[in-house]
Amino acid sequence: MKIGVLALQGAVEPHVVALRALGATTVAVRNPTELALVEALVLPGGESTTMAKLLRLNELEEALAERLAGGMPAFGTCAGMILLASGVLDGRADQRSFSAIDIDVRRNAFGRQVDSFEADLDVTGLAGGPLHAVFIRAPFVERAGADVEVLATVGGHPVCCRQGRVLVTSFHPELSGDVRLHQHFLELAAT
Amino acid sequence: MADLFDTQAGAPRADGTGARSTGTMLVKRGLAEMLKGGVIMDVVDPEQARIAEDAGAVAVMALERVPSDIRRDGGVARMSDPEMIEGIKAVTTIPVMAKARIGHFAEAQILQSLGVDYVDESEVLTPADEAHHIDKWAFTVPFVCGATDLGEALRRISEGAAMIRSKGEAGTGNIVEAVRHLRSILGDIRKITQADSAELYDWAKRLQAPVPLVQELAETGRLPVPLFCAGGIATPADASLVMQLGAEAVFVGSGIFKSENPSVRAKAIVEAAANFRDPDILVKVSRGLGGAMPGLEIGSLETKLADRGW
């Protein structure tokens, strides 16, 4: 299975490294032609406002919306989670999100960079003990729909959610060298 | 700090088990990772900050005068007024960076307290200390520092910088110095990866850099923090050039707001950075931008900002 990594801006390479370590074939996705090559997509961290603009400029917005509506498995971290959400709070008025998972997220919800942090998280269903998670100007989930499973929380706020074959995290599993969530996504995508 | 985490009973909720650690190197470097492939724009007021964010900037650098004006005006250039930085923070949702003078840790403390997302210990401002850069490990806020060569980059990293930018020559609109600095940094890294273990000690001596950092470079073939490029970028083609050379993102200072049509040029440089290897897109975004900022020949400069810092 070919796994795409949205490569318009942000922390693309750490995802590619994690996926390749698990034996996946990866494709950098910047345009509709590259999107058509992949069966699942990782949306990395970065600036969600910049990515949303580049999706439009690169004429990728509609193609991505179509694939996500068609049930393509997707894994969004931080800005990627914001892009996959159904609602964005504290975003820009023109900020597009794709409603691939029924959650509303608040941008920069944990504060500014001086409030960014690392912590060990228990993730429901993840074997092997707590996951070391890195939160960078991170969003959290304000509302999770009835069909959404909340897999981890911080301070009562969901930070890792799953609905069907869509997985999202507020944090950056790609930065801490722990590939268990990537493994989980590959298994989800293969179902 | 365990009470920061949700410990409510009842499946299928999970709860955090550890304390939060802020200001770690991973957290500092992490934000730089998120800015990769993007454009960080110098802005002097909220209106420019809005234009930058609208154009797709990944972050803004708040300062009172862009480098070309600092160069023209002369005098001592200092940290910006907190009120001005707050005004910019209030209108943007993207990270806000600000500059402190080299060695001026009190300015950096003020910027950290203000809640800026990155401090640039910058040669564009007048240095405050002729021998010492800021001990950046002492801060929660991450720092970016300029470098003209690999030794300078490694010294800044050993002091705690979480991002390096090649200095170039700020305020000139001339890319030649940025290219020189990038080629010097990346060229030496390539050579070090070919060196044997005994030669690494000599490299450390020549670079005036810590041996463990040189050994790490030899192992990984890259700096332990992201390498961005600054100083002289004025066109989409400039952004593409330095990113093809190996820069992971670009800072654009005077290049945008000293050009004829800042909004259009800002968008074009954002698109060029994201598609830096795609000549078809570069053709498209390079068309009809209006005049670029007027450039300066390096040989004609009275002050080379890149010579500040050591």
Side-chain angles (χ1 to χ4, degrees):
Chain A
M1 185 188 299
K2 278 187 181 159
I3 310 289
V5 180
L6 186 65
L8 296 172
Q9 190 274 315
V12 177
E13 196 192 338
H15 277 294
V16 171
V17 170
L19 292 164
R20 287 193 180 156
L22 294 166
T25 307
T26 59
V27 176
V29 172
R30 290 188 192 82
N31 55 51
T33 315
E34 287 162 349
L35 181 63
L37 298 174
V38 305
E39 288 144 276
L41 186 68
V42 174
L43 294 87
E47 275 307 311
S48 60
T49 54
T50 304
M51 281 192 228
K53 288 215 183 304
L54 288 167
L55 280 169
R56 198 164 308 154
L57 291 168
N58 279 23
E59 290 159 16
L60 192 52
E61 194 176 17
E62 290 321 310
L64 179 58
E66 227 168 81
R67 288 296 304 274
L68 289 170
M72 174 177 64
F75 179 17
T77 60
C78 197
M81 168 167 111
I82 294 169
L83 289 175
L84 291 174
S86 43
V88 182
L89 306 162
D90 290 345
R92 289 171 54 86
D94 61 350
Q95 190 160 357
R96 170 85 190 256
S97 64
F98 290 91
S99 304
I101 180 166
D102 184 19
I103 55 173
D104 293 340
V105 298
R106 184 174 298 282
R107 283 182 70 209
N108 307 332
F110 288 104
R112 305 194 69 92
Q113 174 62 15
V114 289
D115 307 305
S116 293
F117 63 99
E118 301 178 42
D120 286 330
L121 274 190
D122 282 337
V123 180
T124 303
L126 198 68
L131 181 84
H132 193 65
V134 186
F135 293 78
I136 310 286
R137 287 172 46 95
F140 61 56
V141 174
E142 285 277 5
R143 182 197 63 82
D147 297 331
V148 174
E149 298 169 84
V150 174
L151 304 181
T153 60
V154 169
H157 301 289
V159 294
C160 179
C161 296
R162 183 177 61 201
Q163 181 179 9
R165 296 194 295 169
V166 176
L167 178 68
V168 294
T169 63
S170 296
F171 53 89
H172 295 281
E174 78 281 10
L175 290 185
S176 53
D178 188 330
V179 296
R180 284 178 292 162
L181 275 179
H182 289 85
Q183 176 73 50
H184 177 61
F185 176 62
L186 292 178
E187 287 161 10
L188 266 188
T191 57
Chain B
M1 299 270 283
D3 61 333
L4 284 172
F5 293 90
D6 184 32
T7 49
Q8 264 177 280
R13 311 193 70 173
D15 44 88
T17 53
R20 297 188 199 192
S21 318
T22 56
T24 63
M25 196 55 181
L26 183 56
V27 162
K28 291 174 173 178
R29 204 196 70 211
L31 180 54
E33 294 284 339
M34 298 310 137
L35 303 176
K36 281 185 178 177
V39 182
I40 300 146
M41 301 182 191
D42 278 4
V43 297
V44 301
D45 58 39
E47 179 53 28
Q48 290 190 354
R50 252 186 241 113
I51 292 172
E53 185 174 320
D54 285 345
V58 289
V60 291
M61 176 76 70
L63 74 178
E64 266 162 9
R65 291 174 290 169
V66 294
S68 63
D69 288 342
I70 291 174
R71 193 177 279 291
R72 188 200 59 209
D73 298 350
V76 173
R78 311 178 178 89
M79 177 189 79
S80 297
D81 186 328
E83 204 170 278
M84 173 268 171
I85 296 169
E86 277 166 341
I88 286 169
K89 273 173 58 197
V91 299
T92 53
T93 67
I94 57 178
V96 175
M97 303 185 177
K99 290 182 194 290
R101 282 180 265 179
I102 290 172
H104 206 314
F105 52 85
E107 283 187 350
Q109 287 161 353
I110 290 167
L111 293 174
Q112 170 168 284
S113 193
L114 262 177
V116 306
D117 296 297
Y118 242 95
V119 173
D120 183 5
E121 186 182 17
S122 178
E123 70 283 1
V124 167
L125 305 184
T126 310
D129 189 318
E130 293 181 326
H132 310 94
H133 282 252
I134 297 170
D135 173 10
K136 292 164 276 284
W137 296 109
F139 287 79
T140 305
V141 69
F143 280 75
V144 51
C145 288
T148 57
D149 58 34
L150 183 57
E152 206 177 353
L154 294 177
R155 288 192 293 279
R156 295 297 84 76
I157 292 166
S158 73
E159 295 156 2
M163 180 203 299
I164 294 296
R165 54 173 175 74
S166 54
K167 283 181 180 171
E169 190 56 30
T172 62
N174 189 337
I175 200 66
V176 66
E177 294 296 293
V179 169
R180 184 210 310 282
H181 300 156
L182 270 179
R183 280 202 180 276
S184 173
I185 293 166
L186 293 163
D188 277 353
I189 291 175
R190 283 188 283 269
K191 285 178 206 152
I192 285 171
T193 61
Q194 302 299 311
D196 75 15
S197 57
E199 289 167 337
L200 296 180
Y201 296 96
D202 184 49
W203 269 106
K205 193 170 65 188
R206 274 190 280 154
L207 294 173
Q208 298 179 57
V211 172
L213 280 179
V214 174
Q215 288 168 329
E216 189 186 335
L217 265 185
E219 193 75 28
T220 62
R222 61 196 305 171
L223 290 179
V225 303
L227 173 63
F228 291 6
C229 175
I233 295 162
T235 68
D238 289 345
S240 168
L241 174 68
V242 297
M243 291 185 75
Q244 290 191 60
L245 285 172
E248 296 175 293
V250 294
F251 286 82
V252 186
S254 326
I256 289 173
F257 289 101
K258 288 293 169 187
S259 74
E260 210 171 273
N261 193 338
S263 169
V264 172
R265 184 165 295 265
K267 274 192 199 103
I269 295 178
V270 167
E271 226 178 325
N275 301 285
F276 67 92
R277 286 188 202 282
D278 189 331
D280 292 338
I281 291 184
L282 292 167
V283 170
K284 191 185 83 181
V285 304
S286 298
R287 277 202 189 104
L289 298 181
M293 71 176 281
L296 293 171
E297 186 67 48
I298 302 299
S300 70
L301 301 178
E302 274 177 37
T303 308
K304 270 186 86 175
L305 301 175
D307 293 341
R308 295 169 167 179
W310 27 87

